[in-house]
Amino acid sequence: MRIPRPLVQIEDGGITIHRPLLQFGKSRLEATCRHYHIDWIEDSTNTDPTATTRNAIRYLLDHRDLPLALRKSSLLSIADRMHQKALARWSRADNHFKDCQIIIFDARSGGLVVRLPERVLPTQPIPSEYRERSIVEAQYKASLLIRRLIEIVTPLEVVPLQKLRFAINAIFPEIDNPNALEMDKDAAAPNFTVAGVSFKRYDAPIAIPQGIGLGKLGKYLDRKYIWLLSRHPYPSTKEPPTITFPPQLEPVTGLSAAISPESSPFAHTDPWSPWHLWDGRFWIRVLNRTALPLVIRPLQEHDLKPFRLALTQEQKPKFDELLSVAAPAKVRWSLPVLARPGGAIVAVPTLGAALEEALVGGKVECEVRYRKVDLGPGREDAIVG
């Protein structure tokens, strides 16, 4: 089985959506089209005020003498102020993220070990008239920070901020109780799950390193605890994520391929499968030269013993070491494995382990990449793959 080195790279591509005309008003766009003799096409439903809420608002703005506070200029001004306020909040939350210590991000399992700021509320006393606003601001900053970390590990596309309240209270108990002591933080929940991500708190085994690399607020990092974020094991009540890869079919040559080169599934020459996103985390493609289909599914407890027995004496210690380091405890049950349908596994691709029968003659090849994630600048050394 051929696995790229490092075993699991992080995807660096992606799609960027550009909307360059948003900065221009409708009247200018219409004038531009007239100047260049381009037909302007208007969606007929845009003039129906009952079709959408947006249409109703447009109708009111165009046909009613609204109070000054509800006129377009006032609403745009409010929207701009709210946008600037949101940007300021995002900037402050981004500073907290930059000042976290990303100790390890293991792309082989998607596990993240991080040291967080000790607190997000100011350490100095807050005047009573500003306390409520400060707490709301701190909750919002904390939720943005936690979501940023969760997005590195979670299989979900969207993580609603309102789902993070428990996590905020567990990690930053001083927000709800500004007088919280260290013992209150010790008593907070050390383990919990949110958005498909398990949080586990550990006593910090290593001191905060001195010098550059942690940002100007590095001295405010939590010196007592670090957190492990990992994919939560799949519930037994739901079907685990599975992708089937059929056997490679020989490409068609000659007249039949020339007649219908695009409609025929045999007309391509690339034996690799397309890239598939498995569990919202790993991009995987497979070259299957066996006679049977193969599936990507999670590693299960009953898989380990027969798989280890089928490994060579040289492979076993390497596999055991990688498994204990990259996917300790329950983290391993979120690893993707390549298996026969309803049968034994033939490879654990993110750990570079495969049975000899798959290796002989290149019968099975697999490439894996962790989806694109943003760890922030200067954190390449924390990535393990």
Side-chain angles (χ1 to χ4, degrees), residues 191-233:
N191 306 318
F192 56 89
T193 300
V194 59
V197 176
S198 292
F199 281 70
K200 291 186 180 298
R201 190 183 71 191
Y202 294 93
D203 292 332
I206 51 178
I208 299 176
Q210 300 297 318
I212 62 173
L214 293 181
K216 62 183 179 181
L217 298 179
K219 61 182 179 180
Y220 297 124
L221 288 175
D222 192 337
R223 297 178 179 274
K224 189 170 184 180
Y225 295 121
I226 59 174
W227 290 86
L228 168 64
L229 280 64
S230 61
R231 173 68 165 100
H232 186 65

Side-chain angles (χ1 to χ4, degrees), residues 66-193:
L66 297 173
L68 180 62
L70 296 179
R71 292 177 188 173
K72 186 175 181 178
S73 58
S74 298
L75 294 177
L76 289 175
S77 177
I78 293 172
D80 183 64
R81 290 201 301 271
M82 294 299 293
H83 179 64
Q84 295 302 322
K85 188 174 183 179
L87 288 178
R89 283 174 164 177
W90 276 97
S91 178
R92 289 193 290 270
D94 190 57
N95 286 336
H96 278 297
F97 177 74
K98 290 176 181 177
D99 286 306
C100 291
Q101 183 192 3
I102 304 293
I103 300 172
I104 294 174
F105 173 64
D106 198 322
R108 298 168 296 188
S109 62
L112 177 71
V113 180
V114 59
R115 194 194 301 264
L116 298 173
E118 190 170 24
R119 55 191 293 130
V120 293
L121 267 182
T123 54
Q124 63 269 28
I126 303 171
S128 57
E129 61 268 29
Y130 299 115
R131 183 167 298 162
E132 183 175 351
R133 187 175 70 181
S134 296
I135 289 175
V136 170
E137 286 290 324
Q139 287 174 337
Y140 190 73
K141 284 190 296 182
S143 63
L144 290 176
L145 169 61
I146 293 172
R147 182 170 70 177
R148 184 86 176 267
L149 295 168
I150 288 175
E151 286 173 342
I152 298 172
V153 180
T154 183
L156 304 180
E157 290 187 23
V158 178
V159 180
L161 292 180
Q162 60 267 28
K163 298 288 187 180
L164 305 182
R165 185 62 185 269
F166 185 88
I168 294 171
N169 291 339
I171 298 174
F172 302 112
E174 79 279 359
I175 294 179
D176 273 352
N177 179 16
N179 297 318
L181 302 173
E182 186 171 341
M183 65 182 67
D184 297 301
K185 194 163 189 174
D186 295 342
N191 306 318
F192 56 89
T193 300

Side-chain angles (χ1 to χ4, degrees), residues 117-382:
E118 190 170 24
R119 55 191 293 130
V120 293
L121 267 182
T123 54
Q124 63 269 28
I126 303 171
S128 57
E129 61 268 29
Y130 299 115
R131 183 167 298 162
E132 183 175 351
R133 187 175 70 181
S134 296
I135 289 175
V136 170
E137 286 290 324
Q139 287 174 337
Y140 190 73
K141 284 190 296 182
S143 63
L144 290 176
L145 169 61
I146 293 172
R147 182 170 70 177
R148 184 86 176 267
L149 295 168
I150 288 175
E151 286 173 342
I152 298 172
V153 180
T154 183
L156 304 180
E157 290 187 23
V158 178
V159 180
L161 292 180
Q162 60 267 28
K163 298 288 187 180
L164 305 182
R165 185 62 185 269
F166 185 88
I168 294 171
N169 291 339
I171 298 174
F172 302 112
E174 79 279 359
I175 294 179
D176 273 352
N177 179 16
N179 297 318
L181 302 173
E182 186 171 341
M183 65 182 67
D184 297 301
K185 194 163 189 174
D186 295 342
N191 306 318
F192 56 89
T193 300
V194 59
V197 176
S198 292
F199 281 70
K200 291 186 180 298
R201 190 183 71 191
Y202 294 93
D203 292 332
I206 51 178
I208 299 176
Q210 300 297 318
I212 62 173
L214 293 181
K216 62 183 179 181
L217 298 179
K219 61 182 179 180
Y220 297 124
L221 288 175
D222 192 337
R223 297 178 179 274
K224 189 170 184 180
Y225 295 121
I226 59 174
W227 290 86
L228 168 64
L229 280 64
S230 61
R231 173 68 165 100
H232 186 65
Y234 308 96
S236 58
T237 55
K238 294 184 179 180
E239 285 293 321
T242 302
I243 299 174
T244 301
F245 296 91
Q248 173 199 358
L249 298 173
E250 291 298 328
V252 171
T253 59
L255 182 61
S256 59
I259 292 174
S260 182
E262 296 189 6
S263 61
S264 171
F266 307 104
H268 60 83
T269 58
D270 185 2
W272 285 88
S273 72
W275 286 96
H276 292 271
L277 183 62
W278 181 81
D279 193 39
R281 299 180 298 141
F282 292 100
W283 285 104
I284 300 175
R285 70 172 184 162
V286 172
L287 193 158
N288 179 10
R289 292 193 180 99
T290 68
L292 298 173
L294 297 171
V295 298
I296 288 285
R297 61 168 175 81
L299 179 66
Q300 299 171 354
E301 280 193 69
H302 65 263
D303 291 322
L304 275 181
K305 185 175 180 179
F307 182 71
R308 289 190 71 259
L309 288 174
L311 292 174
T312 66
Q313 290 301 117
E314 183 182 357
Q315 287 176 313
K316 283 179 184 177
K318 294 179 180 178
F319 174 72
D320 290 341
E321 181 181 3
L322 277 173
L323 188 65
S324 63
V325 172
K330 293 183 178 181
V331 177
R332 61 191 54 179
W333 311 131
S334 66
L335 292 177
V337 299
L338 195 60
R340 301 181 183 92
I345 63 176
V346 297
V348 184
T350 63
L351 300 186
L355 301 185
E356 281 293 317
E357 63 183 83
L359 293 167
V360 174
K363 290 182 178 179
V364 178
E365 298 186 37
C366 183
E367 290 188 0
V368 185
R369 295 180 185 178
Y370 198 84
R371 62 177 170 81
K372 187 176 182 179
V373 292
D374 181 11
L375 296 179
R379 287 173 167 162
E380 294 80 7
D381 291 344

